């Protein structure tokens, strides 16, 4: 595929209407989007165009059979105001891993990264300057072939949208350990970032919210015993000085923030173990005083401190504070905004002359 990305710009940017102090996630979109089409076995016509509606046939296969996957990533500005991306190549790889599971074509990783770079470069005025805010990027792919019948589609669209976002959770959160509904079973689509995984989580999340909880804590499908992940995050517990996070067993999302946090924790001298972990173990650690803290990690939320886990007839008090979580959050934010040396080489500048 040719990597020549054509650019059609809007006449006038809407950024002047944005209140940078009030930007709830996913409510405002920037002026442009990146689009690329898959037809006849190849990706063609990569382009950046004004943000707008996309004509969709009512028989578009994504609407019926759910061939739809997505990514979440963020752009920041460094101290000099230069736009930067956090580990974009990781998102490109994960999209293709999701594509494999869902019978969809790979999107070339270099075009993914180049598309994100060029879009962010064009939209750099939309990157919120405040700490904890960022330009959220949503690359996604879906089947737009009009067809009724059960087979892999032959036509797809890959799109990247950008949406400025403020911080998601400003206080510690409460999780509901879900024992009726499940998110992912062995052999299912749990580790793919597939739209359907999120669709199936909407009703249980609404029920948890109605009980006063922020997100669902998902347990394994067979026994409702092992902890998998949280609504939009992976999860970490600190027990007796050691960090434990559920292992990637096929039903857990391969979080890029998760991977980076494991790296940072180890770099700071903590022992981190990826293994099966039961809700019972967390209960006991809370009772005997060895449960020191817990937090969730995700692109949209960053790091969210966990105060409490509720379930039918019982509440596990986790911790009112998360000192290590806070330290990791500060470190990660400092790296992302160029305030701290990027010693792991995670940040990518979007401007050609700086890359
Ligand atoms: C992200 O953290 O980027 C996600 O994709 C979660 C989303 C449902 C807000």
């Amino acid at each position: 595929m040719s990597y020549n990305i054509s650019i059609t710009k809007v006449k006038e940017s809407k950024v002047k209407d944005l209140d940078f102090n009030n930007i709830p996630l996913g409510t405002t979109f920037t002026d442009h989007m990146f689009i690329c089409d898959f037809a006849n076995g190849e990706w063609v016509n990569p382009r950046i165009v004004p943000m707008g509606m996309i004509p969709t046939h009512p028989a578009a296969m994504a609407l019926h059979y759910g061939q739809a996957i997505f990514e979440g990533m963020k752009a920041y500005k460094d101290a000099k105001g230069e736009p930067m991306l956090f580990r974009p190549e990781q998102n490109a790889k994960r999209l293709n891993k999701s594509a494999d599971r869902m019978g969809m074509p790979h999107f070339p990783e270099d075009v993914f990264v180049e598309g994100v770079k060029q879009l962010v470069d064009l939209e750099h005025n939309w990157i919120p300057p405040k700490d904890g805010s960022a330009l959220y990027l949503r690359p996604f792919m879906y089947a737009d072939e009009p067809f009724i019948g059960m087979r892999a589609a032959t036509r797809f669209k890959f799109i990247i949208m950008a949406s400025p976002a403020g911080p998601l959770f400003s206080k510690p959160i409460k999780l509901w350990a879900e024992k009726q509904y499940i998110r992912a079973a062995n052999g299912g689509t749990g580790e793919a970032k597939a739209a359907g995984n999120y669709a199936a989580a909407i009703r249980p999340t609404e029920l948890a919210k109605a009980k006063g909880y922020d997100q669902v804590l998902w347990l394994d499908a067979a026994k409702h015993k092992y902890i998998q992940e949280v609504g939009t995050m992976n999860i970490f517990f600190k027990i007796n000085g050691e960090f434990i996070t559920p292992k990637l067993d096929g039903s857990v999302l391969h979080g890029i923030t998760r991977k980076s946090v494991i790296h940072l924790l180890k770099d700071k001298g903590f022992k981190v173990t990826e293994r099966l972990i039961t809700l019972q173990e967390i209960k006991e650690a809370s009772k005997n005083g060895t449960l020191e803290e817990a937090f969730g990690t995700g692109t949209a939320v960053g790091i969210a401190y966990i105060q409490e886990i509720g379930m039918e007839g019982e509440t596990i008090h986790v911790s009112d504070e998360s000192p290590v979580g806070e330290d990791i959050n500060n470190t990660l934010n400092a790296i992302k905004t160029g305030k701290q040396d990027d010693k792991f080489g995670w940040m990518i500048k979007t401007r050609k002359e700086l890359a």
Side-chain angles (χ1 to χ4, degrees):
M1 164 183 166
S2 140
Y3 297 179
N4 200 356
I5 300 171
S6 68
I7 301 184
T8 311
K9 290 188 191 171
V10 292
K11 288 200 176 73
E12 199 187 351
S13 173
K14 292 192 296 2
V15 72
K16 57 184 182 320
D17 303 330
L18 180 65
D19 173 4
F20 278 98
N21 292 314
N22 179 23
I23 30 177
L25 176 72
T27 52
T28 308
F29 297 92
T30 63
D31 297 317
H32 302 90
M33 59 184 169
F34 172 95
I35 307 193
C36 196
D37 308 307
F38 185 85
N40 303 315
E42 59 173 344
W43 288 103
V44 291
N45 194 12
R47 58 205 184 273
I48 290 175
V49 293
M51 165 59 77
M53 302 292 178
I54 325 165
T56 304
H57 194 285
M61 291 176 78
L63 300 178
H64 303 264
Y65 313 112
Q67 273 189 307
I69 55 176
F70 69 94
E71 278 301 313
M73 55 200 294
K74 281 179 174 170
Y76 307 82
K77 273 186 178 168
D78 70 8
K80 291 189 199 129
E82 289 300 338
M84 299 200 294
L85 296 165
F86 180 69
R87 313 188 79 179
E89 74 296 343
Q90 295 289 324
N91 294 92
K93 283 192 194 346
R94 189 173 64 180
L95 181 91
N96 285 340
K97 198 168 157 50
S98 300
D100 283 338
R101 177 61 185 87
M102 303 300 290
M104 300 166 80
H106 277 198
F107 189 77
E109 289 174 19
D110 50 350
V111 190
F112 179 112
V113 173
E114 190 55 33
V116 176
K117 275 182 169 178
Q118 291 200 23
L119 183 66
V120 168
D121 209 18
L122 186 62
E123 307 290 49
H124 67 272
N125 286 333
W126 289 85
I127 303 176
K130 257 191 167 175
D131 269 359
S133 299
L135 184 61
Y136 185 84
L137 299 157
R138 171 52 61 84
F140 65 107
M141 189 201 295
Y142 67 98
D144 73 341
E145 178 187 353
F147 179 72
I148 291 182
M150 186 46 197
R151 62 156 169 76
T154 60
R155 272 176 39 189
F156 295 86
K157 269 199 167 44
F158 172 77
I159 299 180
I160 308 169
M161 302 183 294
S163 170
L168 211 56
F169 293 116
S170 47
K171 58 181 183 48
I173 60 167
K174 296 180 182 183
L175 305 181
W176 173 255
E178 179 56 59
K179 293 196 174 178
Q180 182 188 356
Y181 300 106
I182 58 136
R183 176 186 175 276
N186 281 348
T189 58
E191 71 177 15
K193 210 160 166 60
N197 289 340
Y198 294 81
I202 286 173
R203 176 76 179 140
T205 305
E206 278 178 355
L207 294 173
K209 284 191 174 160
K211 292 191 209 42
Y213 292 89
D214 297 288
Q215 290 206 355
V216 169
L217 177 66
W218 295 109
L219 303 172
D220 76 282
K223 298 186 176 151
H224 295 142
K225 183 174 159 189
Y226 298 103
I227 292 172
Q228 291 181 328
E229 62 180 77
V230 182
T232 61
M233 305 181 270
N234 294 108
I235 190 164
F236 288 75
F237 297 96
K238 183 166 176 252
I239 301 178
N240 230 353
E242 175 189 350
F243 277 92
I244 304 161
T245 188
K247 69 174 183 177
L248 303 175
D249 64 351
S251 58
V252 173
L253 186 78
H254 290 213
I256 294 161
T257 312
R258 173 189 183 277
K259 186 174 183 174
S260 310
V261 165
I262 292 174
H263 207 91
L264 285 176
L265 284 170
K266 288 186 176 168
D267 189 60
K268 285 179 189 278
F270 288 101
K271 183 174 178 205
V272 186
T273 308
E274 298 173 65
R275 65 166 167 84
L276 289 177
I277 177 163
T278 62
L279 190 57
Q280 183 62 25
E281 192 179 337
I282 300 304
K283 243 185 244 181
E284 280 160 20
S286 167
K287 277 198 190 119
N288 67 27
T290 54
L291 178 59
E292 293 162 10
E293 62 183 288
F295 51 80
T297 61
T299 297
V301 296
I303 293 184
Y305 316 120
I306 297 163
Q307 188 174 39
E308 170 180 312
I309 301 173
M311 65 208 80
E312 224 44 79
E314 218 176 330
T315 299
I316 303 175
H317 179 255
V318 178
S319 172
D320 295 330
E321 288 172 357
S322 187
V324 182
E326 244 174 84
D327 179 42
I328 293 288
N329 199 15
N330 292 338
T331 305
L332 211 44
N333 286 336
I335 293 173
K336 288 171 173 177
T337 50
K339 295 189 183 95
Q340 184 169 322
D341 179 35
D342 174 26
K343 68 174 179 176
F344 308 115
W346 286 341
M347 303 309 296
I348 304 286
K349 294 244 166 51
T350 65
R351 297 246 159 99
K352 261 200 187 71
E353 62 278 16
L354 298 170

